[in-house]
Amino acid sequence: MTEPIDLDALLDAMTLDEQASLLSGADFWSTVAIPRLGVPAVKVTDGPNGARGGIFKDGPSTACFPVGIALAATWHPELIADAGAALGTEARLKGARVLLAPTVNLQRTVYNGRNFECHSEDPWLSSEMAVAYINGLQSTGVAATIKHYVGNESEFQRMSVSSDIPERPLRELYLLPFERAVKEAKVQCVMTGYNRVDGTFMADHHRLVTQVLRDEWGFDGLVMTDWMAHHDTVQSVLAGCDLEMPGPARERGDKLVAAVREGRLSADAIRACARRVLQLAERVGSFADPVIPAERDDDLPAHRALIRRLGAEGAVLLKNDANALPLAPQAGQTVALIGHAAVTPQIMGGGSANVNAHYRVSPLAGLQAACPGVKLVHRPGADNHRYTPLMPVPMTVSFWANDHFDGEIVATQTSPNTEIMWFGSLPAGLDPYNFSARTTLRFVAEADGQHAFSLISTGLARATLNGEAVLDAWTNWQRGDTYFTFGCDEVVHHRALKAGDVVDLQVEFSTAVAGGGFGVHALRVGASRLMGEADIAAAVDAARAADVAIVFAGLNAEWDNEGLDRPGIALPHAQNELIARVVAANPRTVVVLQSGSPLLLPWLDAVPAVLQAWYPGQECGNAIADVLTGAVAPGGRLPQTWPLRLDDTVAFGDPAQYPGVDGHVRYGEDVFIGYRHHEARGHAVLFPFGHGLGYTSFEQTGLTLDRTVLQPGEVLSASVTVRNTGTRAGSEVVQLYVHDAASTLARPPQELKAFAKLSLQPGESRTVRLTLDMRAFAAYDVDRAAWWAEAGDFEIRVGSSSARIHQRATVRLLADWREPVGR
């Protein structure tokens, strides 16, 4: 057994400069080592749906798991713990001992660009998933990093916006997943958000980091900033934020030492943060094994199988009239696959969650394997992109060691497509703040029509087409919403081309503008034909001639992306028209949706079956095929309400509440988000929270409570029997909601407080027991600074969604129960 490290003796042996050095990263992904004292570096890597490693794009491949909302859609904590453990193994393969995951910000609005990465609109479901994920991950010796603490519910002005959150919703909603992660899962790291809360940047927020996180909840681990989210040298240390990332130091290092010598900061404050950095290194085993190994790209069969299972367990069958699903196509029949996503698998969202997957199984490939002898015909039908699609050809870039193409070419680099991201992957010897680059590309039009050519860059960029200067992201360059807000907005040029026309592009890039933060740069070149009426007509013809049509519609990682929010929740381009016309041509049409949050479905009444598949990871096509063909029953339930109208959603029509005014976004809806909001206002919804169908039927009966009266402090137990009344195996999620019959505080009509998922064979029944402690009945009372359950009646509601309550029972709390914060 390894002897424990005497951290205090180690700190005593350090100079102030050495202690201060520990409070910033050494580079983009590692902490600082102090070789003379045997202090090791610790490598971290991005999650939450994979372990990427040190190269942002096109590095060693890794397993790509379903995104956060897809994991939560399983409503299966035990399975999520398995996913966490697998991700721990994946992190180890990349030499990392800290995974920057899970993301537990709530889906406050439908606009947030990172809703796909988060678990749910509901704090209990989100926290159940987080606790399971962290327990699984940390069982492998890899530290979890719960993020983004706190109030990071949108991407608009994300580096500076202040989330102004009243104390009650802060406690009841947004802090709860973090609180449970600390108290129940013993999470080892917390990452602060970019945003401010009530005017103070989270990395500098003494009340929330020290008073709440550390003092009230007892968190003894490490707090790190999000990347480039550090602002104040002194205040962040005083707030209890230990580690500035990435490195090298920007606001710390020598500035910290100067602050101590000038009397603005005590040396003890630096020592306290440094101790927690050392403690993390000890907890993850870096002192015992200080070597950071080379990254490996092992493709593990067990992880393949787990990802495939997770994809099916999280797939939500939204509608299934007349048992249109599962499909049973026979040899010799024709199935028309419509939509780009049928052949271009949408496996994940965009931003820091993006990984270089080992492989990507398309729905076409999955269905080919599942349906031998069936003829599969594909037509794209309509566009689904946000930006002009990349050219699927290698792009070789030449570099100069200055920002103005002077002298000799010093390096070259090849990307597998026409996007290159220099996040830890710039050729050796180049200064990430001072280089220029050039590439040439050839585009050949495959069909007549209007074509788009585009540029996006984090520095100056320009391009000529056949010698003509038409793409200018150089003159008057300014930051936009791309590449974590360090890139410009897309610059687009349109021109009509005939099939066979050749366009030669010369593209130039320069760092002669402060675009890329911390020397992080990217260049993206797009070129594609715009789809139109002829493409829809071809898809309709294919559907009409087929026995079954499957339309793959939705979004992709350009819409569900870190750094920018969604403009709305309608399907982009002509996808709604495409679906309506396909189903008119063939009533045997199934729609498979892929998105990271709700969509409006104006054609829903006409389509017999709709499956929401999310972004299910590298086994995308296999998981979808498993569900469509009935090899596996769909196991998912919605973690987020799907509204009937955009107008009905939280913050709609009030700029102060979204996206914000003058740098502040006001959480004026209080505790009423998600289903709480819709139910309190009597809104009809498209699909309620917790909704999901299967290929069998269930009944829930026999709700019993172990007592009908509660003394303050007691635990209530509720039992429910579930029986599979159909002819196929399947799973049911028992959802328990609590309704406060009469409260002094305004409370939602009901709140999820427990759930259980059961898999049952036909005719099988099982009794499940759910327990509720006092917090299940309590609200946060600001005046009392306490959790407060008010004496009176509470209705226990059990059902299969927030809108399908099958049984009710009442329990009476005989006296008020109060728990002051900090206990």
Side-chain angles (χ1 to χ4, degrees):
M1 183 173 179
T2 305
E3 289 293 321
I5 305 297
D6 188 337
L7 300 182
D8 291 312
L10 193 55
L11 288 162
D12 289 341
M14 290 182 190
T15 65
L16 177 62
D17 293 74
E18 286 173 329
Q19 289 184 14
S21 73
L22 295 175
L23 275 56
S24 299
D27 52 34
F28 217 76
W29 301 114
S30 300
T31 64
V32 167
I34 305 177
R36 80 173 187 91
L37 295 172
V39 174
V42 177
K43 182 178 179 180
V44 309
T45 188
D46 266 327
N49 54 273
R52 184 193 317 111
I55 298 175
F56 202 90
K57 182 177 182 286
D58 304 325
S61 64
T62 194
C64 180
F65 284 71
V67 299
I69 194 171
L71 294 178
T74 68
W75 289 63
H76 197 324
E78 295 83 3
L79 190 58
I80 301 310
D82 291 343
L87 285 162
T89 299
E90 294 290 336
R92 290 280 193 175
L93 290 172
K94 295 299 182 282
R97 298 177 188 267
V98 178
L99 188 71
L100 304 178
T103 303
V104 297
N105 301 107
L106 298 187
Q107 295 152 353
R108 173 181 174 252
T109 72
V110 295
Y111 301 103
N112 182 16
R114 294 181 88 169
N115 274 347
F116 76 91
E117 190 178 325
C118 307
H119 289 148
S120 177
E121 69 186 21
D122 180 80
W124 185 260
L125 177 58
S126 181
S127 57
E128 284 284 282
M129 296 298 110
V131 167
Y133 186 111
I134 293 165
N135 282 335
L137 175 61
Q138 294 191 165
S139 72
T140 67
V142 173
T145 307
I146 197 166
K147 60 185 187 181
H148 306 86
Y149 187 71
V150 62
N152 183 187
E153 274 76 44
S154 64
E155 293 296 280
F156 178 77
Q157 296 180 351
R158 75 195 201 115
M159 305 296 283
S160 61
V161 74
S162 177
S163 299
D164 298 341
I165 312 175
E167 188 70 6
R168 184 180 167 201
L170 182 66
R171 295 280 185 170
E172 291 190 24
L173 302 180
Y174 304 104
L175 286 176
L176 184 66
F178 296 95
E179 180 184 3
R180 294 191 66 206
V182 169
K183 292 181 175 179
E184 298 176 37
K186 309 301 180 187
V187 69
Q188 293 181 20
C189 298
V190 172
M191 180 189 291
T192 59
Y194 288 113
N195 57 290
R196 296 175 290 154
V197 169
D198 299 330
T200 300
F201 281 105
M202 275 308 306
D204 305 335
H205 211 299
H206 184 270
R207 183 177 84 87
L208 290 174
V209 175
T210 290
Q211 294 178 3
V212 174
L213 179 65
R214 295 198 187 279
D215 296 345
E216 289 184 17
W217 299 345
F219 178 67
D220 69 348
L222 180 134
V223 175
M224 70 179 76
T225 70
D226 204 338
W227 268 230
M228 294 161 274
H230 187 259
H231 297 276
D232 191 284
T233 299
V234 172
Q235 290 305 314
S236 67
V237 173
L238 294 177
C241 184
D242 305 308
L243 182 63
E244 171 196 26
M245 287 301 285
R250 182 179 62 165
E251 296 297 333
R252 293 190 168 184
D254 291 343
K255 291 183 180 181
L256 279 178
V257 175
V260 172
R261 290 174 178 163
E262 294 164 6
R264 295 182 290 119
L265 184 66
S266 74
D268 286 345
I270 290 180
R271 181 186 176 102
C273 291
R275 192 182 197 285
R276 288 188 286 264
V277 175
L278 295 175
Q279 176 182 264
L280 175 66
E282 181 182 27
R283 286 177 170 176
V284 298
S286 293
F287 278 100
D289 179 14
V291 176
I292 297 177
E295 296 187 2
R296 294 165 51 185
D297 58 1
D298 301 21
D299 182 2
L300 303 178
H303 292 185
R304 286 184 169 216
L306 176 59
I307 292 167
R308 185 168 181 168
R309 182 184 174 191
L310 286 163
E313 285 269 6
V316 182
L317 185 58
L318 297 174
K319 181 181 179 182
N320 195 26
D321 286 356
N323 296 319
L325 289 176
L327 299 174
Q330 303 299 309
Q333 290 187 323
T334 299
V335 176
L337 306 182
I338 310 299
H340 278 295
V343 296
T344 304
Q346 305 302 325
I347 68 172
M348 58 189 161
S352 59
N354 192 278
V355 300
N356 183 24
H358 289 313
Y359 56 85
R360 302 172 181 231
V361 179
S362 70
L364 171 61
L367 286 164
Q368 283 174 331
C371 305
V374 174
K375 182 180 179 181
L376 300 176
V377 176
H378 174 252
R379 299 290 183 272
D383 287 319
N384 68 345
H385 60 265
R386 188 170 196 159
Y387 305 120
T388 304
L390 300 172
M391 299 168 63
V393 297
M395 180 172 70
T396 299
V397 179
S398 300
F399 294 90
W400 285 259
N402 53 71
D403 63 15
H404 52 282
F405 309 94
D406 186 44
E408 299 295 320
I409 294 171
V410 297
T412 61
Q413 186 179 42
T414 300
S415 171
N417 55 38
T418 55
E419 179 182 45
I420 191 162
M421 300 170 71
W422 294 297
F423 293 21
S425 58
L426 196 65
L430 283 170
D431 180 350
Y433 297 95
N434 186 26
F435 71 90
S436 49
R438 180 180 292 147
T439 187
T440 58
L441 299 162
R442 171 162 287 187
F443 177 84
V444 180
E446 295 181 353
D448 295 357
Q450 280 290 115
H451 287 69
F453 297 86
S454 75
L455 282 180
I456 302 175
S457 68
T458 58
L460 304 181
R462 60 193 174 196
T464 61
L465 275 62
N466 292 338
E468 181 184 358
V470 294
L471 285 171
D472 184 2
W474 192 287
T475 308
N476 301 318
W477 184 97
Q478 59 182 346
R479 283 175 62 172
D481 291 326
T482 63
Y483 294 117
F484 312 104
T485 73
F486 293 115
C488 65
D489 290 331
E490 185 180 34
V491 176
V492 184
H493 167 75
H494 293 101
R495 63 174 52 186
L497 297 175
K498 297 283 189 182
D501 282 355
V502 176
V503 178
D504 289 318
L505 296 87
Q506 184 178 82
V507 185
E508 294 184 330
F509 174 92
S510 171
T511 61
V513 65
F518 269 75
V520 172
H521 281 293
L523 173 67
R524 186 186 192 282
V525 184
S528 179
R529 181 179 65 84
L530 303 178
M531 304 193 77
E533 168 58 30
D535 299 285
I536 295 178
V540 170
D541 288 345
R544 183 179 293 110
D547 295 284
V548 176
I550 309 174
V551 182
F552 292 85
L555 308 178
N556 59 24
E558 297 168 359
W559 299 99
D560 286 312
N561 197 345
E562 178 179 354
L564 66 168
D565 286 340
R566 288 176 57 187
I569 56 174
L571 282 169
H573 299 291
Q575 291 185 89
N576 282 327
E577 179 185 356
L578 172 67
I579 295 168
R581 289 172 61 178
V582 165
V583 73
N586 187 338
R588 298 174 303 282
T589 293
V590 173
V591 175
V592 177
L593 297 171
Q594 289 195 258
S595 69
S597 50
L599 298 164
L600 298 176
L601 311 179
W603 36 261
L604 181 63
D605 289 346
V607 175
V610 181
L611 178 72
Q612 167 63 324
W614 315 106
Y615 303 122
Q618 65 191 29
E619 286 283 333
C620 173
N622 286 333
I624 290 172
D626 286 345
V627 173
L628 290 177
T629 62
V632 178
R637 304 293 186 270
L638 289 179
Q640 187 177 16
T641 305
W642 283 39
L644 191 60
R645 306 184 311 152
L646 182 61
D647 306 34
D648 292 338
T649 61
V650 169
F652 178 84
D654 185 352
Q657 293 194 77
Y658 181 85
V661 175
D662 297 330
H664 290 259
V665 57
R666 180 173 58 86
Y667 286 43
E669 69 282 350
D670 201 65
V671 296
F672 297 93
I673 67 170
Y675 65 91
R676 295 163 165 82
H677 161 83
H678 293 288
E679 291 173 1
R681 287 154 181 78
H683 293 157
V685 298
L686 194 62
F687 299 111
F689 175 78
H691 169 75
L693 307 175
Y695 295 154
T696 188
S697 56
F698 295 91
E699 65 176 13
Q700 299 180 16
T701 59
L703 172 62
T704 58
L705 307 181
D706 68 344
R707 63 197 71 196
T708 57
V709 294
L710 274 175
Q711 295 288 347
E714 290 184 332
V715 173
L716 179 71
S717 176
S719 297
V720 180
T721 298
V722 182
R723 186 166 72 93
N724 183 340
T725 58
T727 59
R728 301 174 63 102
S731 60
E732 174 72 315
V733 178
V734 178
Q735 302 170 35
L736 187 155
Y737 298 82
V738 173
H739 164 69
D740 190 344
S743 175
T744 303
L745 298 174
R747 300 195 66 175
Q750 59 183 3
E751 300 167 77
L752 181 73
K753 294 298 180 181
F755 63 88
K757 189 170 192 176
L758 298 87
S759 295
L760 301 173
Q761 295 296 317
E764 183 183 4
S765 64
R766 196 180 311 161
T767 299
V768 63
R769 191 173 83 166
L770 304 168
T771 58
L772 304 175
D773 63 14
M774 276 293 115
R775 280 281 292 269
F777 302 97
Y780 186 79
D781 187 284
V782 176
D783 293 335
R784 291 177 171 85
W787 292 97
W788 183 47
E790 195 172 356
D793 289 345
F794 291 84
E795 187 174 70
I796 308 302
R797 301 175 176 178
V798 174
S800 50
S801 78
S802 63
R804 294 189 67 208
I805 302 299
H806 305 304
Q807 301 177 85
R808 303 167 190 256
T810 299
V811 63
R812 174 163 293 180
L813 179 61
L814 293 179
D816 291 354
W817 173 84
R818 180 172 176 263
E819 181 183 79
V821 297
R823 284 182 52 187

